Amino acid sequence: ISSNGLVYKAFQIIPEGINDSQIENASISFKVDKNWVQENNMDTSTIKLYRKNGEWASLPTTFVSQDADYFYYNGISKGFSDYAIVAEKKQEIIQRINENLQNKIFLLAVLPLLVVVIIERILARREWCARMAAGASCSSAPGPPIPLSPLSLT
């Protein structure tokens, strides 16, 4: 089950005389109490049905409707066994979004600097090759020292 999730309910469905090979897509409808969602600061968009078939795995889960007391969902399973209804807290989702944004902002800040350094290096190599004595090969000669400028990473 999701390490960020909280179990709302766990249950078992094992019908007699039916095995998993006979099931293509079983539809399992369930509801989640709105008070539980609010009291635990859960995000309704993360509510999923999980099935244990050796390991816990989330199942395709769709929000269906709501009334004054419950949110209604439908999960699709390829067999029957142990199940759990799981949701994630709003705060944990916001924290993960912030971490992802920080990583992207870092990349957006660093990548242009790396491009500038590479371009400076290419231009310095061309300039150095142009200064080489006639007949010398740029590909066989060692390159010039890396130029240091305010835009270069040191």
Side-chain angles (χ1 to χ4, degrees):
I1 296 181
S2 168
S3 61
N4 297 324
L6 181 64
V7 175
Y8 171 65
K9 286 193 178 177
F11 56 95
Q12 188 177 64
I13 301 174
I14 303 179
E16 290 185 31
I18 298 175
N19 61 44
D20 286 358
S21 65
Q22 297 171 297
I23 300 167
E24 189 172 319
N25 285 318
S27 177
I28 301 171
S29 297
F30 62 94
K31 63 184 179 180
V32 178
D33 190 298
K34 285 185 171 183
N35 288 329
W36 180 84
V37 170
Q38 186 175 13
E39 289 167 5
N40 291 287
N41 196 30
M42 304 312 278
D43 183 346
T44 57
S45 69
T46 68
I47 294 174
K48 296 270 186 211
L49 183 62
Y50 281 75
R51 177 180 179 220
K52 187 171 185 178
N53 189 15
E55 298 285 327
W56 285 102
S58 66
L59 301 175
T61 306
T62 307
F63 171 77
V64 176
S65 65
Q66 64 180 312
D67 61 22
D69 300 317
Y70 295 97
F71 294 105
Y72 296 90
Y73 294 85
N74 188 55
I76 303 296
S77 181
K78 299 209 178 282
F80 293 114
S81 61
D82 297 321
Y83 295 91
I85 301 167
V86 179
E88 292 184 25
K89 291 192 176 211
K90 290 180 184 177
Q91 184 63 28
E92 291 171 358
I93 292 170
I94 291 169
Q95 182 179 356
R96 274 191 286 151
I97 289 170
N98 285 338
E99 288 170 2
N100 286 339
L101 283 174
Q102 287 173 355
N103 291 340
K104 289 177 183 174
I105 289 169
F106 174 76
L107 286 176
L108 288 173
V110 170
L111 284 178
L113 291 174
L114 291 174
V115 169
V116 168
V117 168
I118 291 168
I119 291 171
E120 282 184 344
R121 181 72 174 118
I122 291 168
L123 293 175
R125 174 102 175 146
R126 285 184 182 168
E127 183 181 328
W128 181 76
C129 286
R131 290 186 201 160
M132 294 279 301
S137 170
C138 287
S139 61
S140 63
I146 297 175
L148 299 177
S149 73
L151 294 178
S152 295
L153 296 176
T154 55

